[in-house]
Amino acid sequence: MARKTHVQTQINGDSVEFLCEARQSLLEVLRDELQLTGAKEGCNNGNCGACSVILDGRLVNSCLVLGVETGGKVVETVEGLAAPDRLHPIQDAFLENAALQCGICTPGFLMSAKALLDNNPNPTEPEVRYWLAGNLCRCTGYDKIVRAVLDAAAAM
Amino acid sequence: MPHVAIPSLMRNLTAGREHVTVPGNTVREVIDNLEHRYPGVKARLCEEGRIKPGIAVYIDGILTTREGLRERLDADAEIHFLPAISGGIGE
Amino acid sequence: MPEKKEYKVIGTRPIRHDGVDKVTGRALYGADFHTAGLLHGRVLRSPHAHARILSIDTSRAEAYPGVKAIVTAKDLPDAADKVADLGEGAVHLKYLCDNILASDKALYKGHAIAAVAATNAHIAEEACALIDVAYEVLPPVLEVRQAMEPAAPLLHETLKTGSLGETAEEPSNVASHLQHKKGDIEAGFAEADVIIEREFVTGTVHQGYIEPHNATALYNPDGQLTVWCSTQGAFTVREQLTEILQYPISKIKVVPMEIGGGFGGKINVYVEPVAALLAKKTGKPVKVLMNRADVFEGTGPTPASFIRVKMGATKDGKLTAAQTHLAFEAGAYPGSPVGAGAMCIFAPYDIANVLIDGYDVVVNKPKSAPYRAPGATNAAFGSETVIDELAKELNIDALEFRIMNGAKEGVKRADGPVFPRIGFIESVEAAKQHPHYTSPNGKKHHGRGVASGFWFNIGLASSVSISVNPDGTINLVEGSTDIGGTRASIAMQAAEVLGIPAESVNPSVVDTNSVGYTAVTGGSRTTFATGYAAYEAAQDVKRQLIARAAKLWEVDEEDVQFADGEFSCINGKEAQLSFHDLSARLGETGGPVVGSAAVNPPGAGGAFATHIVDLEVDEDTGKVQILRYTATQDAGKAIHPSYVEGQIQGGVVQGIGWALNEEYIYNAEGTMTNASFLDYRIPTCLDLPMIDTVIVEVPNPGHPYGVRGVGEVPIVPPPAAIANAIYDAIGIRMTELPMSPDRMLKAMGKI
Ligand code: FES
Ligand code: FES
């Protein structure tokens, strides 16, 4: 058995400790060790964005980050987006705009959109398209996703 | 009497005829009567008492199942034998 | 015939029932399934595109710490000469089994050879590398025309061409030949003033769903097999498992997890039987996940094809004859969608003389799987390009030309069936009147193109049951996997019958032990057929509630009327109860009310679409940029318009990807050299404009609300529409897909 490292990090506001092998990605840790399966694996090599999370305020593909790298950092995942009693405005906008079909890409898009709006609260359509270009969706043709993000920006 | 559209790849058995009218209350009877008139037809369409895999039977434009031999026919039903569509289902 | 009616629920846009689960990350997809004691499986795949398997030695892998079991084709029951009956079609069991784990030959790079279960996925992967397989490498056949050559290496020594029940003498890679004939093709061309004939080549493309295939299986000591997986049809998985494993259907339960896209590619099983075999050997639950390369190399692409189209028309614009030769790559085992392509290719037009020949050809590529309107997109690329060329030649507006020759009710298709009421002309008219089409288009290197498409749609079996809750809501149980909002579109049809809001329905998609047989979410059938079942189940509930009201009011059932969500007495007695209030009184009138229905509706009603695209060609790089896109489509009746628009937009964008970027690139050894999302490039949002949609509603006489399937046809027109627009922009006819920058530069004579 490969040796495991003890890692302490903060995920969605909670302090979390876990043991992980050096080769395990953050995505693997989230999904397999912590049962936070909101982040999805579409490619495991940084090309689809389904695994997007926010690490210390920066949007990352969690399949390209090692679990051991997250020690002392702050991780935000889709599970932490909604408040206990209401959805985040981006989540509402996705539902209102029917911006998901199968929904497998949705957690990644939500986190990308949040990272965008955290940095740029009033993006133009080209800015939204540029920012979301790292997230693949095979179902929607992106039209309703882009509208949802623009709507969310207007609502926030 | 039911009308049978003879598929182009079977017209070698029907002397080139495209449409044939044969008596029959079920698909089975129609095929038996066809066989009577054009020997060899049945072997092309059936095996082991069922429609062959790979062949689809349409009655009045509607696809029936492989148990289609039992299917009852209206007096003026129109029957098509077509290649079964495989891979024909997407989202 | 459904009349134009005012509906309360249908046509509105409620929030989908599974929406909150899906935006909070709570929805459980196949890979998210977890259970105690779970082992992880990995599949070893062939490094060769064509090879005889001489031996497999698993001893080194078995000795690797953490490995719990290894399976190969030897662990599958003997399949020789059996025919597997999969409900909708019969196939040779050996082909089905060999595609799961190769027995004698590896027929494509990525073909599954063996699988390992271990305590974690890394160990399983490492152990795969320790399995020693001896191969005798054979020359691969990688292209359909090459495969049809008499001298081509054979994939299957026993495969002989079938032509409607007749089998050829000699073995061949041509699995079957089909033909449709209408009228007199020679006479038709003799009548024509203009004849265009062209050849087309399309590349191998993948469905490209973002979620890789997955399955977890568990064998209980009592022999009960449970499989959790992401599939378009839990019952279809059950049927395939019972055939492949030769295991009783009653001992198999398939639990459909949420599914991350399918588009036809998640109907065939791949890792499900492998997980089952590993679970049986270990006595533990085993989860097998594919990675992205596995998905590209081991699962259903849609085939490359070679297509010849010849069409003729008179000077005044009447199509007189159409002929085509369609040769489709089936992949490693027979079963390309050439039959569907043959049905669809000339279907939008009323042409007196037609001859269609189709060939299903095996090659050393993964066994092809359905992909959204399978076969129709390849075919339409050919026919709709030739139609455009004819219109240009005759100096007739391309949409007008389609209207002049368009199929309507009563027209007989070349393959036999006669069209009922259809909305082709209406879809073209809608495009013709659209501001997009009437706007100016004249800039240099900008072009505009149009194309149409047809898909026949399917019906098949669906079951639904509904139970009434005391607070006036209902629970709706269905067997259709929800890939794009069908929980909502099905629930809405039940809600409409019962006069309750969509939000008062709790829909659940359940396992194969918990609902009647339901065919796949595919063929654009779900909103049509499962919606039909929901309609009928709701009618059943309504009848029972009428009886309850009659009991309460001590009147005859005929004296109770139900309208707008209210039961009322019509024999003079003043009595009224809402659905909500009557639901609260079920206890005192005889107990629970459960309605159910199982249907197999025949009248799926074909769907037509017409698309307009504006684009720009970059003369220096060869890149084609889509500037504006409008899609019109006959939806029959749009139950939830947002999800109808979404289906259209998604289909269009897949079609754009197919047209411009996507293809499997093979090296001479038959290895796909671009098996990642980086190199197999599907469209991103940066590549696209908004996709405008126009929903035309010509009600389908075969459905109580007039629904036609909408999911598939929108992928059909884009490649031809884009090729036609490229011609408009630079005067060059593109006849090969994808129209990628390198092909564009070549066509422009720049490289
Ligand atoms: S899974 Fe991380 S980018 Fe695709
Ligand atoms: S909704 Fe299916 S991939 Fe985006």
Side-chain angles (χ1 to χ4, degrees), chain A residues 99-106 109 136-140 145, chain C residues 209-211 259-261 263 483:
Chain A
L100 54 143
Q101 286 180 30
C102 80
I104 196 85
C105 67
T106 308
F109 271 101
L136 297 180
C137 173
R138 191 60 157 172
C139 298
T140 63
I145 294 177
Chain C
Y209 30 80
I210 304 301
E211 177 204 40
I259 173 173
F263 314 110
I483 317 185

Side-chain angles (χ1 to χ4, degrees), chain C residues 459-621:
Chain C
L460 302 180
S462 281
S463 311
V464 162
S465 72
I466 293 175
S467 50
V468 180
N469 296 318
D471 60 354
T473 62
I474 60 173
N475 298 335
L476 185 154
V477 175
E478 54 175 302
S480 284
T481 311
D482 182 351
I483 317 185
T486 51
R487 280 185 184 85
S489 67
I490 290 161
M492 288 168 75
Q493 297 181 54
E496 185 71 45
V497 171
L498 298 174
I500 55 178
E503 293 75 16
S504 294
V505 184
N506 306 317
S508 344
V509 178
V510 297
D511 65 65
T512 52
N513 283 5
S514 309
V515 67
Y517 182 91
T518 299
V520 292
T521 293
S524 303
R525 63 174 293 278
T526 309
T527 299
F528 168 76
T530 308
Y532 204 131
Y535 171 88
E536 290 293 349
Q539 293 288 351
D540 187 15
V541 166
K542 184 171 107 183
R543 279 189 295 274
Q544 295 182 49
L545 288 178
I546 285 176
R548 298 301 175 89
K551 202 167 185 180
L552 275 177
W553 297 331
E554 298 174 15
V555 298
D556 289 341
E557 286 173 26
E558 297 77 70
D559 294 331
V560 177
Q561 178 189 295
F562 179 72
D564 295 334
E566 296 277 336
F567 295 88
S568 51
C569 194
I570 49 169
N571 74 343
K573 205 166 175 175
E574 271 301 304
Q576 215 163 6
L577 271 177
S578 67
F579 180 87
H580 178 274
D581 294 341
L582 182 55
S583 302
R585 300 183 65 179
L586 296 186
E588 60 188 278
T589 56
V593 165
V594 177
S596 65
V599 302
N600 195 346
F608 290 89
T610 299
H611 294 184
I612 314 165
V613 60
D614 288 4
L615 51 75
E616 180 176 12
V617 178
D618 184 321
E619 284 231 65
D620 298 322
T621 64

Side-chain angles (χ1 to χ4, degrees), chain A residues 1 21 23-24 28 31-32 35 37-45 47-48 50 78-79 81-82 87 91-92 94-107 109-110 125-126 128-144 146-147 150, chain C residues 13 15-16 19-20 22-29 31-32 34 119-120 122-123 126 206-212 259-261 263 290-292 371-372 483-485 642-643 645-647 649-651 653-654 662 676-678 680 682-686 688-692:
Chain A
M1 281 285 150
E21 293 179 26
R23 65 181 167 189
Q24 284 184 291
E28 218 179 312
R31 293 180 52 80
D32 296 348
Q35 254 84 85
T37 55
K40 304 299 179 192
E41 179 186 320
C43 66
N44 212 23
N45 52 19
N47 291 315
C48 76
V78 69
E79 286 92 344
L81 202 50
L87 294 175
Q91 291 170 313
D92 274 327
F94 267 61
L95 292 179
E96 294 286 348
N97 283 278
L100 54 143
Q101 286 180 30
C102 80
I104 196 85
C105 67
T106 308
F109 271 101
L110 291 168
E125 184 189 327
V128 171
R129 287 187 182 274
Y130 184 78
W131 187 274
L132 299 182
N135 291 77
L136 297 180
C137 173
R138 191 60 157 172
C139 298
T140 63
Y142 305 102
D143 182 303
K144 293 184 189 304
V146 173
R147 287 178 203 276
L150 291 168
Chain C
R13 301 173 187 244
I15 302 285
R16 62 194 277 173
V20 172
K22 286 183 174 160
V23 297
T24 53
R26 299 274 165 211
L28 291 177
Y29 293 74
D32 305 336
H34 189 79
T119 46
N120 73 43
H122 296 285
I123 295 173
E126 286 159 358
H206 198 274
Q207 293 78 354
Y209 30 80
I210 304 301
E211 177 204 40
I259 173 173
F263 314 110
M290 285 195 186
N291 64 28
R292 182 52 53 184
Y371 178 26
R372 207 168 199 152
I483 317 185
S642 298
Y643 288 102
E645 293 160 7
Q647 286 294 321
Q649 291 162 337
V653 168
Q654 284 184 321
E662 297 179 32
S676 78
F677 270 146
L678 182 64
Y680 181 99
I682 73 173
T684 72
C685 59
L686 198 53
L688 299 161
M690 292 295 186
I691 308 294
D692 264 341

